[in-house]
Amino acid sequence: MKYALGAIFALALFSGIMPLAFSDSYLTAIEEKQIKMTVPSDNVLPWAFVKGTTHNVVDGHPVIIQIYKDEKPVHFAQVNVNNDGTYQYKFRVRDVTDNKVTNIFEGDYTVKIFKTINLDSDYLNNIIRQKSLGNEDLKTDVTVRAV
């Protein structure tokens, strides 16, 4: 058991997963994804959204979304995960009030998505398989789009 835990923690360090707790039946962890978001200066759409799917989600734990510009935090949110494992967060990127246009978001951003997951043997085996194939982007299941 001691070696298995060591292997899990070593694997977690290289896969963007931070172990949180261990019990007799499962290990929970925070999985972090980072993606880029670009909002052009000529954007005419008022909304953008972050959406994705999470597997092995821990019930009652929302997805945390953090948006940074030049490594400075600009917007944080949390959203509940639906029964099918999907989530979506919609946010305003452009405002028009009294014919005055305000670009709330403009330029390049880093979006960090944090999910609390259960690490079962299937999930860990998938990470090991993906790493052995040289796949550094294990599960790109998140998109950011303007709407």
Side-chain angles (χ1 to χ4, degrees), residues 6-58:
I8 289 170
F9 286 112
L11 181 60
L13 289 174
F14 295 107
S15 63
I17 298 170
M18 179 186 305
L20 287 179
F22 183 74
S23 76
D24 291 338
S25 57
Y26 62 90
L27 176 72
T28 61
I30 298 270
E31 179 181 59
E32 177 185 354
K33 298 281 185 185
Q34 286 192 29
I35 56 176
K36 298 294 181 192
M37 174 177 78
T38 299
V39 180
S41 59
D42 61 350
N43 174 50
V44 296
L45 300 172
W47 299 97
F49 63 89
V50 176
K51 72 175 188 172
T53 304
T54 184
H55 305 282
N56 299 330
V57 66
V58 177

Side-chain angles (χ1 to χ4, degrees), residues 58-78:
V58 177
D59 288 336
H61 289 259
V63 170
I64 307 297
I65 299 166
Q66 300 177 349
I67 302 174
Y68 296 84
K69 184 173 181 93
D70 301 323
E71 298 183 23
K72 294 182 179 119
V74 295
H75 189 79
F76 288 177
Q78 68 180 32

Side-chain angles (χ1 to χ4, degrees), residues 78-139:
Q78 68 180 32
V79 62
N80 291 327
V81 178
N82 299 318
N83 290 337
D84 64 356
T86 61
Y87 61 91
Q88 180 174 324
Y89 176 68
K90 183 176 172 181
F91 56 100
R92 187 170 285 284
V93 294
R94 184 175 195 252
D95 182 55
V96 180
T97 303
D98 297 328
N99 292 325
K100 180 183 175 202
V101 176
T102 303
N103 288 329
I104 301 165
F105 288 84
E106 185 175 346
D108 296 325
Y109 297 85
T110 299
V111 180
K112 296 181 181 182
I113 298 106
F114 298 91
K115 302 178 259 183
T116 305
I117 59 172
N118 287 313
L119 294 179
D120 62 14
S121 60
D122 290 339
Y123 188 86
L124 293 173
N125 287 335
N126 183 50
I127 290 172
I128 292 167
R129 184 173 54 256
Q130 294 295 326
K131 283 294 187 181
S132 70
L133 295 173
N135 185 355
E136 295 302 320
D137 186 21
L138 295 176
K139 282 187 180 178

